[in-house]
Amino acid sequence: MSKILININGKDYSAEPGKMVLDIAKEVGIYIPTLCHYEGIKPQGSCRICTCKIDGRNMTVCTTPATHRMVIETNTEELEKIRATIVELLFAEGNHFCPACERSGNCELQALAYRYKMMVPQFPYIFPAKDIDAKNPKIMIDHNRCILCKRCIRRKQEPENPSWFVFKDRGNKVQINLDHELTADFDDELAQKAMDTCPVGAIIRKEKGFDVPIGSRKYDKNPIGSDIENQGVTL
Amino acid sequence: MSKPIVATTSLAGCFGCHMSLLDIDERILDLIELVEFNKSPIDDIKTFTKQCDIGIIEGGCCNSENVHVLKEFRKNCKILVSVGECAIMGGLPAMRNNNAPISECLEEAYLNCVSVQANDEKIIPNDEELPMILDRVYPCHEIVKIDYFLPGCAPRADLIWNALVALVTGNEMDLPYEVIKFD
C-alpha cells in the first residue's frame, strides 16, 4: 500500500497508513511520553499521558492509527500542562515514597516527574491504605506504588500461556493480583521479565535491588525520551 | 543594604537536608558573605530574634511541636522553602499514614514489638511535657503556606545552593536536569 503524508509539529512526514501515530513519531525522533504503553503489547490508551492534538482534538496517540493528511501537535504548552498534571495526580493518588523504592532512578513515573520538573503535586496526598503481597518466593507486589497501567496483565508471556496477573475489585479498590499457582516455580529470568514490564516499582524482584549506584541509573543523567529525541532520524 | 536573614529548622526529618546544605563545600564561605543566619541548628539560635527573609524547612509535621515551630516560621519569615521529601510529602515518617491508625503504631512501638523489653507496666509515653503525636504525618504545605519546594532525599547541594542564590539575588533559578531528584 502506498505511503501517506502526515504533519507532526508543522513538518511533513511520509508514513505507513494504519501505523500508530506514537510509533511514527518515535521513528522520526519525536518523543511522546507513555506510561501504560509497552512495546509489543496491544495499546490501551488508559493513562492519557500520550495525549496529543490530532486535527484539533485531544487524542491518545498510542491508540490512534495515522491517516492521510493528519495534523498532529505533540508538545504544545497546553499538552505539556495536561501531562504534568497527570503525573501529579498519579503521585498524589498512590504512596510513592521514592527515597525508599528499589526502582528509584529507573522508574518511568519518576522520570516523567523529573522531565516536567515536578517540585510538588498541586493536589493533596491521599495516602490510600494499600498492602504488599510478598508470598511469591521471587517477586513482591507493592500496591502502594502501582499506577494500574495494566501492563503486567496485558503482557501475556507466550500465546498459549495466560497472564500472571489479573485485576481484582472495582473502582478505587482495584488492584493487580498475582496468580500464585502459575508463578510458584518462577525463576530469576521470569521474575526479571515481570519486573521489567512494570513502569514503576510495584513489581520488584526479591533479594535484588539498589544494585546500581546513584548517578549511573537509567534516568539519573538523561531525561526519559532523550534517547528518542537524540536519534535524529528522518523518514 | 543589609544581608538577607535565613532561618532553618528540622521538623520530622533526619537532618540529612541540613547535611546537604553543608555539602555546598567551599561555597559555604560565599554563603556567609551573602546571608546572615538567625534561628537555626547551624548557629544554635533557639528562638527568633528578628524577622527573617528566608525560612528553610526540613521534615514534615508528625507532632504538635512540629506544627508550632512551623507556624512560628510562617510568622517570622517572608519566604518559606520546603526542603526535601519529608517536608514535601511526609517522607519516611509518613509511611505510617497509609495503613495503621496511630494507636496501632504506638502499641507496636512501645508494647508489642519483639524488641520491647523493659515495659512491664505497659506504658505508652504520655507525659504532658511531650508533644502530642498527630493522627498522621502532614506535608508542611498542608499546615501553612509554603512558597517554594526543593525535592530530594536529600536535595542535591547544588539545588539548595542554586535556590538560595536565586532567592538572594533575585535572578531566575538555574535548574539543570541532574539536580531535581526524589531520592
Side-chain angles (χ1 to χ4, degrees), chain A residues 104 114 128-130 144 217 219, chain B residues 89 91 97-99 177 182-183:
Chain A
S104 187
Y114 292 166
K130 299 274 173 96
N144 293 292
R217 299 168 306 181
Y219 303 119
Chain B
M89 61 89 66
N97 284 8
N98 52 333
N99 271 327
Y177 176 80
F182 297 165
D183 57 1

Side-chain angles (χ1 to χ4, degrees), chain B residues 4-8 21 31-32 35-40 42-43 45 56 164:
Chain B
I5 305 164
V6 177
T8 76
L21 173 63
L31 185 66
I32 296 302
V35 301
E36 173 191 332
F37 277 88
N38 199 269
K39 177 179 158 65
S40 167
I42 292 174
D43 55 15
I45 298 178
I56 293 175
L164 273 176

Side-chain angles (χ1 to χ4, degrees), chain A residues 34-50:
Chain A
T34 54
L35 270 178
C36 72
H37 182 63
Y38 190 85
E39 218 157 293
I41 55 178
K42 198 178 158 213
Q44 110 184 322
S46 67
C47 75
R48 320 309 286 180
I49 201 117
C50 70

Side-chain angles (χ1 to χ4, degrees), chain B residues 77-96:
Chain B
C77 302
K78 286 183 195 152
I79 293 166
L80 281 193
V81 189
S82 264
V83 174
E85 284 290 296
C86 299
I88 288 173
M89 61 89 66
L92 198 83
M95 278 187 158
R96 73 168 158 99

Side-chain angles (χ1 to χ4, degrees), chain A residues 118-121 125, chain B residues 6-13 16-18 20-21 53-61 66 70-71 73-74 77-91 137-156 159-161 163-164 167 173 175 179-182:
Chain A
M118 184 190 88
M119 299 307 221
V120 61
Y125 291 100
Chain B
V6 177
T8 76
T9 188
S10 178
L11 305 175
C17 300
H18 275 83
S20 198
L21 173 63
D53 297 293
I54 302 166
I56 293 175
I57 314 286
E58 168 191 341
C61 291
N66 296 152
L70 184 58
K71 285 183 173 166
F73 264 75
R74 186 66 275 180
C77 302
K78 286 183 195 152
I79 293 166
L80 281 193
V81 189
S82 264
V83 174
E85 284 290 296
C86 299
I88 288 173
M89 61 89 66
V137 179
Y138 291 86
C140 291
H141 61 274
E142 291 187 15
I143 306 283
V144 299
K145 176 171 167 39
I146 300 284
D147 302 289
Y148 297 103
F149 300 87
L150 301 177
C153 183
R156 303 296 179 267
L159 180 66
I160 302 178
W161 171 254
L164 273 176
L167 274 175
M173 186 174 166
L175 259 184
V179 301
I180 307 174
K181 292 284 173 284
F182 297 165

